[in-house]
Amino acid sequence: MSGKENSQFVGDVIPEYDEETYGAPQKNADEIGSYEWVGWEDQNGNEVIPGTTVLTGNTILRPLYEITKHKYTVEFVIPGEEGNPDLVVSKETYEYRDKITVPADADVKKEADDYYTYTFWQWDPAVSENCYGNATYKAVFKKTPIYYTVKWLTDAKNLYRTTRVAYGKKIQQTSTPEPESYGPAPTGYTWALKEWIRCDEHGKDILVNGEQIKYSRETLMEKGEMYFYPVYEAVAGKHAVTFGKMVDGEFKAVTTEQINYNALVSDYTPGALEAVGIPQSTDDCHYVFVKWLPVGGGELERNENGEYIITGPVQLYP
């Protein structure tokens, strides 16, 4: 509103303001509040009552306003999960620039779930020291995985080793105990791990629909303790079999294969002969492969069908 100038004499009463002509002074609302005109003051901040106050000199009148302060809501919440509403830690009403009271860290708690425990870390966004409007601050937590125990047993159900795995994570098995109750492996065989079977703390199988639960690399950690025991199978031992040829009475190795115990020599003959080579036939002599002979004399063992088999490390020539 533009000002109005009026000439008066010292000692005169300041005239009434013509509100009907000029309208009531206005001040727009701001972030602090809304304003209502209630009177006048001079340039020195003294209250002036037109129609009563006597003029003592040059005077500038300024409108006086009564402020109605805005109320702002500031709340601190723990975010809800899976569609659940936020949990309100505190909710307070402030006026503009009031100092915000922040909840104590100890009052900001989140219950542990199956996967993690939670410790309060900070507010998001960072909390302003003073209030400048409505605000919601959300708690941010540090997560600590909850670990449970896996107990790996021996086949005799004795404890072999213990590992700790976070709930819901894949279980990793990295070593295998020696068999305790299987006895010696058959000749030419060794005991090898076949699978791990889940059981209870007493070593009794846990069944689902009558079936054993077998460990795999996709098995996930559950709550509480989990138990597994090993099952073994007899696996044929491998032996180094070297194929070569005799040159001037000495054995010359050409190729070596790792071959299972009891494997048929005939299964490896084509490749071995190709590597070793068959002497060139002439007009006077034609060569035909008959069998492999061990270096040092004798013959290879045969199975019940009369076929030559591998029963240990050996050097062979055609």
Side-chain angles (χ1 to χ4, degrees):
M1 183 184 78
S2 60
K4 175 182 179 295
E5 186 175 306
N6 190 19
S7 296
Q8 302 287 135
F9 293 102
V10 172
D12 288 348
V13 173
I14 297 175
E16 296 279 354
Y17 174 71
D18 188 354
E19 183 177 348
E20 182 177 342
T21 300
Y22 299 105
Q26 300 290 325
K27 181 177 181 179
N28 293 330
D30 57 19
E31 65 274 9
I32 298 175
S34 58
Y35 300 88
E36 180 183 2
W37 174 59
V38 294
W40 300 92
E41 65 178 359
D42 63 20
Q43 67 269 30
N44 298 315
N46 300 312
E47 183 181 8
V48 173
I49 303 175
T52 301
T53 303
V54 175
L55 187 67
T56 59
N58 292 329
T59 301
I60 298 174
L61 297 184
R62 299 181 302 202
L64 280 172
Y65 297 97
E66 183 178 85
I67 183 172
T68 301
K69 290 187 176 181
H70 296 316
K71 302 295 183 182
Y72 294 105
T73 299
V74 176
E75 59 181 356
F76 294 84
V77 302
I78 297 173
E81 296 181 353
E82 299 180 355
N84 293 321
D86 294 342
L87 175 64
V88 177
V89 179
S90 73
K91 184 177 183 179
E92 301 291 342
T93 300
Y94 296 92
E95 295 178 351
Y96 191 75
R97 285 201 179 95
D98 281 352
K99 185 177 178 63
I100 295 175
T101 300
V102 181
D105 289 359
D107 294 332
V108 188
K109 299 177 182 179
K110 183 176 180 179
E111 293 295 326
D113 54 29
D114 290 338
Y115 297 91
Y116 301 99
T117 58
Y118 299 90
T119 305
F120 174 70
W121 179 33
Q122 63 183 15
W123 295 103
D124 181 35
V127 180
S128 171
E129 183 175 355
N130 301 97
C131 176
Y132 296 103
N134 295 325
T136 298
Y137 298 100
K138 295 188 176 184
V140 179
F141 294 87
K142 290 181 178 178
K143 300 190 298 184
T144 302
I146 297 177
Y147 285 84
Y148 296 98
T149 301
V150 180
K151 292 188 176 181
W152 304 95
L153 309 178
T154 66
D155 57 285
K157 309 299 175 60
N158 297 315
L159 179 63
Y160 168 58
R161 63 192 294 260
T162 298
T163 57
R164 296 178 70 245
V165 183
Y167 179 78
K169 298 297 183 181
K170 293 179 181 179
I171 299 173
Q172 299 298 317
Q173 208 293 321
T174 57
S175 64
T176 304
E178 293 295 326
E180 291 184 342
S181 61
Y182 276 65
T187 302
Y189 289 77
T190 58
W191 294 119
L193 177 68
K194 179 182 179 183
E195 58 197 2
W196 288 91
I197 303 298
R198 188 174 176 185
C199 62
D200 61 20
E201 66 270 27
H202 304 295
K204 184 178 179 180
D205 287 359
I206 297 176
L207 304 178
V208 175
N209 297 325
E211 299 290 332
Q212 292 176 319
I213 302 174
K214 298 179 181 181
Y215 162 81
S216 77
R217 292 193 177 274
E218 300 302 315
T219 301
L220 301 181
M221 188 67 215
E222 299 177 6
K223 293 177 67 174
E225 293 184 332
M226 296 178 71
Y227 297 80
F228 296 91
Y229 69 89
V231 174
Y232 300 91
E233 61 183 347
V235 175
K238 289 184 177 293
H239 300 289
V241 178
T242 301
F243 297 93
K245 53 188 174 182
M246 301 300 292
V247 179
D248 297 330
E250 292 187 5
F251 178 75
K252 301 295 183 181
V254 175
T255 183
T256 299
E257 301 279 351
Q258 295 294 325
I259 299 178
N260 286 338
Y261 178 82
N262 269 350
L264 298 177
V265 177
S266 59
D267 290 343
Y268 297 86
T269 293
L273 280 178
E274 184 178 353
V276 172
I278 299 177
Q280 291 289 333
S281 296
T282 65
D283 292 338
D284 299 325
C285 186
H286 179 69
Y287 293 95
V288 177
F289 175 75
V290 178
K291 62 181 178 180
W292 295 97
L293 293 175
V295 173
E299 283 197 346
L300 292 171
E301 291 190 34
R302 298 172 185 261
N303 61 17
E304 64 272 13
N305 297 321
E307 300 167 301
Y308 290 113
I309 58 174
I310 297 299
T311 57
V314 67
Q315 293 176 319
L316 299 175
Y317 65 91

PDB file of all heavy atoms in Angstrom, residues 167-196:
ATOM      1  N   TYR A 167      21.176 -66.663   8.075  1.00  0.00           N
ATOM      2  CA  TYR A 167      19.854 -67.183   7.729  1.00  0.00           C
ATOM      3  C   TYR A 167      19.515 -66.829   6.283  1.00  0.00           C
ATOM      4  O   TYR A 167      19.689 -65.699   5.837  1.00  0.00           O
ATOM      5  CB  TYR A 167      18.802 -66.609   8.665  1.00  0.00           C
ATOM      6  CG  TYR A 167      17.390 -67.071   8.355  1.00  0.00           C
ATOM      7  CD1 TYR A 167      16.963 -68.328   8.742  1.00  0.00           C
ATOM      8  CD2 TYR A 167      16.518 -66.252   7.645  1.00  0.00           C
ATOM      9  CE1 TYR A 167      15.676 -68.764   8.451  1.00  0.00           C
ATOM     10  CE2 TYR A 167      15.228 -66.680   7.349  1.00  0.00           C
ATOM     11  CZ  TYR A 167      14.816 -67.935   7.756  1.00  0.00           C
ATOM     12  OH  TYR A 167      13.548 -68.363   7.462  1.00  0.00           O
ATOM     13  N   GLY A 168      19.010 -67.828   5.543  1.00  0.00           N
ATOM     14  CA  GLY A 168      18.583 -67.603   4.168  1.00  0.00           C
ATOM     15  C   GLY A 168      19.695 -67.644   3.146  1.00  0.00           C
ATOM     16  O   GLY A 168      19.427 -67.545   1.948  1.00  0.00           O
ATOM     17  N   LYS A 169      20.955 -67.803   3.592  1.00  0.00           N
ATOM     18  CA  LYS A 169      22.083 -67.864   2.663  1.00  0.00           C
ATOM     19  C   LYS A 169      22.402 -69.318   2.314  1.00  0.00           C
ATOM     20  O   LYS A 169      22.054 -70.242   3.032  1.00  0.00           O
ATOM     21  CB  LYS A 169      23.323 -67.195   3.273  1.00  0.00           C
ATOM     22  CG  LYS A 169      23.130 -65.719   3.572  1.00  0.00           C
ATOM     23  CD  LYS A 169      22.870 -64.910   2.323  1.00  0.00           C
ATOM     24  CE  LYS A 169      22.749 -63.431   2.625  1.00  0.00           C
ATOM     25  NZ  LYS A 169      22.465 -62.624   1.412  1.00  0.00           N
ATOM     26  N   LYS A 170      23.101 -69.487   1.188  1.00  0.00           N
ATOM     27  CA  LYS A 170      23.461 -70.828   0.751  1.00  0.00           C
ATOM     28  C   LYS A 170      24.522 -71.416   1.676  1.00  0.00           C
ATOM     29  O   LYS A 170      25.453 -70.724   2.087  1.00  0.00           O
ATOM     30  CB  LYS A 170      23.979 -70.796  -0.679  1.00  0.00           C
ATOM     31  CG  LYS A 170      22.921 -70.420  -1.707  1.00  0.00           C
ATOM     32  CD  LYS A 170      23.504 -70.388  -3.108  1.00  0.00           C
ATOM     33  CE  LYS A 170      22.447 -69.989  -4.126  1.00  0.00           C
ATOM     34  NZ  LYS A 170      22.994 -69.935  -5.505  1.00  0.00           N
ATOM     35  N   ILE A 171      24.371 -72.704   1.967  1.00  0.00           N
ATOM     36  CA  ILE A 171      25.325 -73.415   2.821  1.00  0.00           C
ATOM     37  C   ILE A 171      26.433 -73.980   1.941  1.00  0.00           C
ATOM     38  O   ILE A 171      26.161 -74.630   0.932  1.00  0.00           O
ATOM     39  CB  ILE A 171      24.623 -74.549   3.590  1.00  0.00           C
ATOM     40  CG1 ILE A 171      23.530 -73.970   4.499  1.00  0.00           C
ATOM     41  CG2 ILE A 171      25.624 -75.355   4.402  1.00  0.00           C
ATOM     42  CD1 ILE A 171      22.675 -75.027   5.167  1.00  0.00           C
ATOM     43  N   GLN A 172      27.690 -73.745   2.337  1.00  0.00           N
ATOM     44  CA  GLN A 172      28.827 -74.247   1.581  1.00  0.00           C
ATOM     45  C   GLN A 172      29.541 -75.328   2.385  1.00  0.00           C
ATOM     46  O   GLN A 172      29.910 -75.098   3.543  1.00  0.00           O
ATOM     47  CB  GLN A 172      29.802 -73.110   1.257  1.00  0.00           C
ATOM     48  CG  GLN A 172      29.198 -72.005   0.406  1.00  0.00           C
ATOM     49  CD  GLN A 172      28.757 -72.508  -0.964  1.00  0.00           C
ATOM     50  OE1 GLN A 172      29.454 -73.277  -1.614  1.00  0.00           O
ATOM     51  NE2 GLN A 172      27.594 -72.055  -1.403  1.00  0.00           N
ATOM     52  N   GLN A 173      29.719 -76.485   1.760  1.00  0.00           N
ATOM     53  CA  GLN A 173      30.453 -77.580   2.398  1.00  0.00           C
ATOM     54  C   GLN A 173      31.781 -77.720   1.677  1.00  0.00           C
ATOM     55  O   GLN A 173      31.831 -77.885   0.456  1.00  0.00           O
ATOM     56  CB  GLN A 173      29.642 -78.878   2.296  1.00  0.00           C
ATOM     57  CG  GLN A 173      29.917 -79.871   3.419  1.00  0.00           C
ATOM     58  CD  GLN A 173      31.313 -80.445   3.381  1.00  0.00           C
ATOM     59  OE1 GLN A 173      31.835 -80.722   2.320  1.00  0.00           O
ATOM     60  NE2 GLN A 173      31.908 -80.612   4.542  1.00  0.00           N
ATOM     61  N   THR A 174      32.880 -77.641   2.428  1.00  0.00           N
ATOM     62  CA  THR A 174      34.195 -77.552   1.777  1.00  0.00           C
ATOM     63  C   THR A 174      35.145 -78.708   2.087  1.00  0.00           C
ATOM     64  O   THR A 174      36.216 -78.777   1.492  1.00  0.00           O
ATOM     65  CB  THR A 174      34.882 -76.236   2.179  1.00  0.00           C
ATOM     66  OG1 THR A 174      34.981 -76.166   3.618  1.00  0.00           O
ATOM     67  CG2 THR A 174      34.073 -75.032   1.693  1.00  0.00           C
ATOM     68  N   SER A 175      34.780 -79.585   2.990  1.00  0.00           N
ATOM     69  CA  SER A 175      35.677 -80.710   3.288  1.00  0.00           C
ATOM     70  C   SER A 175      34.855 -81.916   3.714  1.00  0.00           C
ATOM     71  O   SER A 175      33.685 -81.786   4.096  1.00  0.00           O
ATOM     72  CB  SER A 175      36.682 -80.336   4.390  1.00  0.00           C
ATOM     73  OG  SER A 175      36.012 -80.068   5.606  1.00  0.00           O
ATOM     74  N   THR A 176      35.486 -83.077   3.649  1.00  0.00           N
ATOM     75  CA  THR A 176      34.786 -84.336   3.918  1.00  0.00           C
ATOM     76  C   THR A 176      35.603 -85.182   4.888  1.00  0.00           C
ATOM     77  O   THR A 176      36.815 -85.339   4.701  1.00  0.00           O
ATOM     78  CB  THR A 176      34.579 -85.126   2.615  1.00  0.00           C
ATOM     79  OG1 THR A 176      33.880 -84.295   1.673  1.00  0.00           O
ATOM     80  CG2 THR A 176      33.773 -86.388   2.870  1.00  0.00           C
ATOM     81  N   PRO A 177      34.966 -85.742   5.913  1.00  0.00           N
ATOM     82  CA  PRO A 177      35.698 -86.608   6.842  1.00  0.00           C
ATOM     83  C   PRO A 177      35.985 -87.975   6.220  1.00  0.00           C
ATOM     84  O   PRO A 177      35.347 -88.386   5.250  1.00  0.00           O
ATOM     85  CB  PRO A 177      34.738 -86.726   8.024  1.00  0.00           C
ATOM     86  CG  PRO A 177      33.378 -86.597   7.401  1.00  0.00           C
ATOM     87  CD  PRO A 177      33.543 -85.603   6.294  1.00  0.00           C
ATOM     88  N   GLU A 178      36.940 -88.657   6.775  1.00  0.00           N
ATOM     89  CA  GLU A 178      37.198 -90.036   6.366  1.00  0.00           C
ATOM     90  C   GLU A 178      36.100 -90.941   6.918  1.00  0.00           C
ATOM     91  O   GLU A 178      35.565 -90.686   8.001  1.00  0.00           O
ATOM     92  CB  GLU A 178      38.556 -90.501   6.898  1.00  0.00           C
ATOM     93  CG  GLU A 178      39.752 -89.794   6.279  1.00  0.00           C
ATOM     94  CD  GLU A 178      39.885 -90.099   4.801  1.00  0.00           C
ATOM     95  OE1 GLU A 178      39.555 -91.234   4.392  1.00  0.00           O
ATOM     96  OE2 GLU A 178      40.299 -89.191   4.050  1.00  0.00           O
ATOM     97  N   PRO A 179      35.725 -91.987   6.179  1.00  0.00           N
ATOM     98  CA  PRO A 179      34.695 -92.903   6.693  1.00  0.00           C
ATOM     99  C   PRO A 179      35.119 -93.523   8.019  1.00  0.00           C
ATOM    100  O   PRO A 179      36.287 -93.854   8.217  1.00  0.00           O
ATOM    101  CB  PRO A 179      34.591 -93.959   5.594  1.00  0.00           C
ATOM    102  CG  PRO A 179      35.129 -93.308   4.365  1.00  0.00           C
ATOM    103  CD  PRO A 179      36.198 -92.366   4.838  1.00  0.00           C
ATOM    104  N   GLU A 180      34.163 -93.671   8.924  1.00  0.00           N
ATOM    105  CA  GLU A 180      34.445 -94.265  10.223  1.00  0.00           C
ATOM    106  C   GLU A 180      33.840 -95.657  10.370  1.00  0.00           C
ATOM    107  O   GLU A 180      34.352 -96.471  11.144  1.00  0.00           O
ATOM    108  CB  GLU A 180      33.900 -93.357  11.337  1.00  0.00           C
ATOM    109  CG  GLU A 180      34.650 -92.046  11.483  1.00  0.00           C
ATOM    110  CD  GLU A 180      34.137 -91.219  12.646  1.00  0.00           C
ATOM    111  OE1 GLU A 180      32.998 -91.472  13.130  1.00  0.00           O
ATOM    112  OE2 GLU A 180      34.866 -90.312  13.076  1.00  0.00           O
ATOM    113  N   SER A 181      32.774 -95.924   9.645  1.00  0.00           N
ATOM    114  CA  SER A 181      32.064 -97.187   9.888  1.00  0.00           C
ATOM    115  C   SER A 181      31.947 -98.050   8.633  1.00  0.00           C
ATOM    116  O   SER A 181      31.262 -99.077   8.675  1.00  0.00           O
ATOM    117  CB  SER A 181      30.647 -96.872  10.423  1.00  0.00           C
ATOM    118  OG  SER A 181      29.910 -96.133   9.473  1.00  0.00           O
ATOM    119  N   TYR A 182      32.639 -97.697   7.552  1.00  0.00           N
ATOM    120  CA  TYR A 182      32.475 -98.438   6.305  1.00  0.00           C
ATOM    121  C   TYR A 182      33.434 -99.620   6.165  1.00  0.00           C
ATOM    122  O   TYR A 182      33.216-100.499   5.361  1.00  0.00           O
ATOM    123  CB  TYR A 182      32.674 -97.498   5.104  1.00  0.00           C
ATOM    124  CG  TYR A 182      31.418 -96.740   4.735  1.00  0.00           C
ATOM    125  CD1 TYR A 182      30.871 -95.814   5.610  1.00  0.00           C
ATOM    126  CD2 TYR A 182      30.785 -96.941   3.520  1.00  0.00           C
ATOM    127  CE1 TYR A 182      29.730 -95.105   5.292  1.00  0.00           C
ATOM    128  CE2 TYR A 182      29.634 -96.232   3.175  1.00  0.00           C
ATOM    129  CZ  TYR A 182      29.114 -95.315   4.079  1.00  0.00           C
ATOM    130  OH  TYR A 182      27.977 -94.615   3.751  1.00  0.00           O
ATOM    131  N   GLY A 183      34.497 -99.623   6.958  1.00  0.00           N
ATOM    132  CA  GLY A 183      35.475-100.689   6.805  1.00  0.00           C
ATOM    133  C   GLY A 183      36.324-100.493   5.558  1.00  0.00           C
ATOM    134  O   GLY A 183      36.170 -99.503   4.832  1.00  0.00           O
ATOM    135  N   PRO A 184      37.239-101.445   5.278  1.00  0.00           N
ATOM    136  CA  PRO A 184      38.109-101.311   4.103  1.00  0.00           C
ATOM    137  C   PRO A 184      37.295-101.318   2.808  1.00  0.00           C
ATOM    138  O   PRO A 184      36.308-102.046   2.677  1.00  0.00           O
ATOM    139  CB  PRO A 184      39.026-102.537   4.189  1.00  0.00           C
ATOM    140  CG  PRO A 184      38.926-102.989   5.610  1.00  0.00           C
ATOM    141  CD  PRO A 184      37.547-102.655   6.061  1.00  0.00           C
ATOM    142  N   ALA A 185      37.721-100.520   1.842  1.00  0.00           N
ATOM    143  CA  ALA A 185      37.076-100.519   0.533  1.00  0.00           C
ATOM    144  C   ALA A 185      37.449-101.788  -0.216  1.00  0.00           C
ATOM    145  O   ALA A 185      38.497-102.395   0.029  1.00  0.00           O
ATOM    146  CB  ALA A 185      37.506 -99.295  -0.266  1.00  0.00           C
ATOM    147  N   PRO A 186      36.603-102.254  -1.144  1.00  0.00           N
ATOM    148  CA  PRO A 186      36.952-103.431  -1.945  1.00  0.00           C
ATOM    149  C   PRO A 186      38.281-103.226  -2.666  1.00  0.00           C
ATOM    150  O   PRO A 186      38.688-102.091  -2.949  1.00  0.00           O
ATOM    151  CB  PRO A 186      35.786-103.526  -2.943  1.00  0.00           C
ATOM    152  CG  PRO A 186      34.659-102.804  -2.283  1.00  0.00           C
ATOM    153  CD  PRO A 186      35.285-101.703  -1.496  1.00  0.00           C
ATOM    154  N   THR A 187      38.952-104.320  -2.967  1.00  0.00           N
ATOM    155  CA  THR A 187      40.244-104.250  -3.644  1.00  0.00           C
ATOM    156  C   THR A 187      40.124-103.417  -4.924  1.00  0.00           C
ATOM    157  O   THR A 187      39.233-103.643  -5.754  1.00  0.00           O
ATOM    158  CB  THR A 187      40.746-105.662  -3.986  1.00  0.00           C
ATOM    159  OG1 THR A 187      40.842-106.431  -2.773  1.00  0.00           O
ATOM    160  CG2 THR A 187      42.098-105.599  -4.679  1.00  0.00           C
ATOM    161  N   GLY A 188      41.052-102.456  -5.050  1.00  0.00           N
ATOM    162  CA  GLY A 188      41.068-101.607  -6.234  1.00  0.00           C
ATOM    163  C   GLY A 188      40.113-100.432  -6.173  1.00  0.00           C
ATOM    164  O   GLY A 188      40.056 -99.639  -7.120  1.00  0.00           O
ATOM    165  N   TYR A 189      39.372-100.297  -5.068  1.00  0.00           N
ATOM    166  CA  TYR A 189      38.407 -99.211  -4.929  1.00  0.00           C
ATOM    167  C   TYR A 189      38.758 -98.356  -3.714  1.00  0.00           C
ATOM    168  O   TYR A 189      39.473 -98.790  -2.799  1.00  0.00           O
ATOM    169  CB  TYR A 189      36.984 -99.766  -4.757  1.00  0.00           C
ATOM    170  CG  TYR A 189      36.420-100.377  -6.022  1.00  0.00           C
ATOM    171  CD1 TYR A 189      36.824-101.646  -6.454  1.00  0.00           C
ATOM    172  CD2 TYR A 189      35.485 -99.687  -6.782  1.00  0.00           C
ATOM    173  CE1 TYR A 189      36.313-102.198  -7.615  1.00  0.00           C
ATOM    174  CE2 TYR A 189      34.955-100.246  -7.948  1.00  0.00           C
ATOM    175  CZ  TYR A 189      35.375-101.497  -8.360  1.00  0.00           C
ATOM    176  OH  TYR A 189      34.866-102.049  -9.505  1.00  0.00           O
ATOM    177  N   THR A 190      38.226 -97.164  -3.699  1.00  0.00           N
ATOM    178  CA  THR A 190      38.346 -96.295  -2.527  1.00  0.00           C
ATOM    179  C   THR A 190      36.959 -95.764  -2.198  1.00  0.00           C
ATOM    180  O   THR A 190      36.060 -95.723  -3.050  1.00  0.00           O
ATOM    181  CB  THR A 190      39.280 -95.101  -2.809  1.00  0.00           C
ATOM    182  OG1 THR A 190      38.775 -94.361  -3.928  1.00  0.00           O
ATOM    183  CG2 THR A 190      40.691 -95.565  -3.094  1.00  0.00           C
ATOM    184  N   TRP A 191      36.802 -95.343  -0.927  1.00  0.00           N
ATOM    185  CA  TRP A 191      35.544 -94.729  -0.531  1.00  0.00           C
ATOM    186  C   TRP A 191      35.541 -93.266  -0.939  1.00  0.00           C
ATOM    187  O   TRP A 191      36.470 -92.526  -0.640  1.00  0.00           O
ATOM    188  CB  TRP A 191      35.326 -94.843   0.972  1.00  0.00           C
ATOM    189  CG  TRP A 191      35.129 -96.241   1.474  1.00  0.00           C
ATOM    190  CD1 TRP A 191      35.897 -96.917   2.375  1.00  0.00           C
ATOM    191  CD2 TRP A 191      34.071 -97.132   1.112  1.00  0.00           C
ATOM    192  NE1 TRP A 191      35.411 -98.175   2.608  1.00  0.00           N
ATOM    193  CE2 TRP A 191      34.268 -98.335   1.836  1.00  0.00           C
ATOM    194  CE3 TRP A 191      32.983 -97.048   0.256  1.00  0.00           C
ATOM    195  CZ2 TRP A 191      33.429 -99.432   1.721  1.00  0.00           C
ATOM    196  CZ3 TRP A 191      32.144 -98.139   0.145  1.00  0.00           C
ATOM    197  CH2 TRP A 191      32.358 -99.313   0.866  1.00  0.00           C
ATOM    198  N   ALA A 192      34.489 -92.834  -1.623  1.00  0.00           N
ATOM    199  CA  ALA A 192      34.349 -91.438  -2.041  1.00  0.00           C
ATOM    200  C   ALA A 192      32.982 -90.919  -1.600  1.00  0.00           C
ATOM    201  O   ALA A 192      32.003 -91.685  -1.535  1.00  0.00           O
ATOM    202  CB  ALA A 192      34.490 -91.298  -3.556  1.00  0.00           C
ATOM    203  N   LEU A 193      32.930 -89.627  -1.285  1.00  0.00           N
ATOM    204  CA  LEU A 193      31.663 -89.041  -0.858  1.00  0.00           C
ATOM    205  C   LEU A 193      30.620 -89.134  -1.968  1.00  0.00           C
ATOM    206  O   LEU A 193      30.866 -88.750  -3.109  1.00  0.00           O
ATOM    207  CB  LEU A 193      31.868 -87.568  -0.479  1.00  0.00           C
ATOM    208  CG  LEU A 193      30.594 -86.810  -0.079  1.00  0.00           C
ATOM    209  CD1 LEU A 193      30.057 -87.331   1.245  1.00  0.00           C
ATOM    210  CD2 LEU A 193      30.852 -85.316  -0.011  1.00  0.00           C
ATOM    211  N   LYS A 194      29.465 -89.622  -1.629  1.00  0.00           N
ATOM    212  CA  LYS A 194      28.359 -89.683  -2.574  1.00  0.00           C
ATOM    213  C   LYS A 194      27.402 -88.511  -2.353  1.00  0.00           C
ATOM    214  O   LYS A 194      27.017 -87.816  -3.298  1.00  0.00           O
ATOM    215  CB  LYS A 194      27.606 -91.011  -2.417  1.00  0.00           C
ATOM    216  CG  LYS A 194      26.415 -91.137  -3.358  1.00  0.00           C
ATOM    217  CD  LYS A 194      25.684 -92.466  -3.119  1.00  0.00           C
ATOM    218  CE  LYS A 194      24.475 -92.595  -4.049  1.00  0.00           C
ATOM    219  NZ  LYS A 194      23.712 -93.844  -3.782  1.00  0.00           N
ATOM    220  N   GLU A 195      27.035 -88.270  -1.091  1.00  0.00           N
ATOM    221  CA  GLU A 195      26.090 -87.199  -0.789  1.00  0.00           C
ATOM    222  C   GLU A 195      26.060 -86.959   0.710  1.00  0.00           C
ATOM    223  O   GLU A 195      26.545 -87.771   1.499  1.00  0.00           O
ATOM    224  CB  GLU A 195      24.678 -87.569  -1.281  1.00  0.00           C
ATOM    225  CG  GLU A 195      24.156 -88.858  -0.674  1.00  0.00           C
ATOM    226  CD  GLU A 195      22.974 -89.438  -1.449  1.00  0.00           C
ATOM    227  OE1 GLU A 195      22.605 -88.848  -2.476  1.00  0.00           O
ATOM    228  OE2 GLU A 195      22.435 -90.478  -1.013  1.00  0.00           O
ATOM    229  N   TRP A 196      25.498 -85.802   1.084  1.00  0.00           N
ATOM    230  CA  TRP A 196      25.239 -85.485   2.483  1.00  0.00           C
ATOM    231  C   TRP A 196      23.731 -85.593   2.714  1.00  0.00           C
ATOM    232  O   TRP A 196      22.935 -85.116   1.907  1.00  0.00           O
ATOM    233  CB  TRP A 196      25.693 -84.065   2.820  1.00  0.00           C
ATOM    234  CG  TRP A 196      27.189 -83.887   2.875  1.00  0.00           C
ATOM    235  CD1 TRP A 196      27.993 -83.526   1.851  1.00  0.00           C
ATOM    236  CD2 TRP A 196      28.019 -84.067   4.013  1.00  0.00           C
ATOM    237  NE1 TRP A 196      29.306 -83.458   2.275  1.00  0.00           N
ATOM    238  CE2 TRP A 196      29.343 -83.791   3.607  1.00  0.00           C
ATOM    239  CE3 TRP A 196      27.791 -84.428   5.342  1.00  0.00           C
ATOM    240  CZ2 TRP A 196      30.428 -83.862   4.474  1.00  0.00           C
ATOM    241  CZ3 TRP A 196      28.870 -84.502   6.212  1.00  0.00           C
ATOM    242  CH2 TRP A 196      30.179 -84.225   5.781  1.00  0.00           C
TER     243      TRP A 196
END
